[in-house]
Amino acid sequence: MTASAPVPLLPAPGTRTEQGVLERGLAALQFVAERGEVTATGLVQGLQLGRSSAYRLLDRLRSSGYLQESSVPGVFRLGPRVLPIGLAALNQLDIMDIAPAHLMALAKAAGETVNLAVPLNDEMIYVYQAEGPGGVKVTAHLGTRRPLNCSSLGKAYLAALSREELDERLPQLTAVALTVNSVVDIAALRTELDATRARRYSIDAEEVEAGVSCVGAAIRDSTGRPVAAISVAGPAERMPGKHETVVPLVLEAAEQISRRMGCRT
């Protein structure tokens, strides 16, 4: 039996509804991506759509392959046609051509799990991971988002900003508490970022996940501005004792990647 062709997401070019459908479709995909799975009711409430409009949009996105139903009827998640788009965007990041070799070497030398993340608004998004020989599984995976205020990745990125940009950024930052150790007070966060800048690496002492501790460092581009961050994550009971050996490895990897990105500072 011949497979039917995918239903086009947009109406014919030039029609009056084309722009509106595109905006709603992109908003729906972003909404699903941020939440993992949604129902029609969730889409109605989240995007303030009419119920009939939401069902039509879901049906069109599903028929086009951009969404798919999960194992639970009526619950939708991203579909297979989104994957090549995301991978293409990821592969076009210069850092993805440069960082993996350095991070695999770092994971092997540190014996722990290594992460690479890029900033988006008030979060860091994981785009690469490498597991060392003694590394333990962490809950974060590719695409996971972590708050800037409590992750070692986020604090490394913030501390690498210019003081002027940080002064402008912090009052607008949405601070999130993931554990009882998360720093949510902006004044306390500023003090922590000053310490991070002085020592050149960040620390997550069970602020994102109980039982997990991390150290991180920023990646800079050719202008010297931070564009990403790397971290080494491991069990909280052994990571502090490994700082003496792991921190120099993290700083060296961050410097090597930054230099390959064109940074000379």
Side-chain angles (χ1 to χ4, degrees), residues 47-204:
L47 299 183
Q48 298 182 340
L49 294 173
R51 183 166 293 274
S52 60
S53 296
Y55 275 105
R56 284 197 302 270
L57 186 59
L58 284 172
D59 184 61
R60 183 165 290 186
L61 289 168
R62 181 190 56 77
S63 301
S64 302
Y66 292 100
L67 292 181
Q68 61 184 345
E69 273 197 282
S70 72
S71 56
V72 180
V75 178
F76 295 86
R77 60 190 179 194
L78 294 179
R81 289 192 71 184
V82 175
L83 182 60
I85 297 174
L87 290 175
L90 187 60
N91 288 332
Q92 288 170 18
L93 288 172
D94 288 341
I95 198 168
M96 294 306 297
D97 296 328
I98 297 168
H102 295 282
L103 299 185
M104 285 189 287
L106 173 59
K108 183 178 180 180
E112 303 289 357
T113 300
V114 172
N115 305 294
L116 169 68
V118 295
L120 178 65
N121 300 324
D122 289 345
E123 298 173 309
M124 299 293 287
I125 302 178
Y126 286 66
V127 295
Y128 182 83
Q129 284 184 315
E131 290 186 22
V136 296
K137 278 286 186 182
V138 293
T139 58
H141 51 80
L142 297 188
T144 293
R145 300 183 180 205
R146 294 298 190 224
L148 290 175
N149 64 287
C150 57
S151 62
S152 64
L153 293 160
K155 288 189 285 186
Y157 169 77
L158 287 173
L161 294 173
S162 68
R163 292 191 180 273
E164 293 76 16
E165 187 171 358
L166 185 61
D167 288 343
E168 182 179 342
R169 186 77 180 271
L170 281 183
Q172 305 172 30
L173 185 71
T174 300
V176 178
L178 296 183
T179 73
V180 294
N181 296 321
S182 300
V183 179
V184 293
D185 178 75
I186 296 302
L189 177 60
R190 185 184 293 275
T191 300
E192 172 65 14
L193 294 177
D194 287 341
T196 298
R197 184 182 291 110
R199 65 179 173 246
R200 296 174 53 226
Y201 66 93
S202 59
I203 298 174
D204 162 12

Side-chain angles (χ1 to χ4, degrees), residues 215-230:
V215 294
I219 304 298
R220 300 175 184 268
D221 65 9
S222 59
T223 69
R225 194 177 189 284
V227 292
I230 60 174

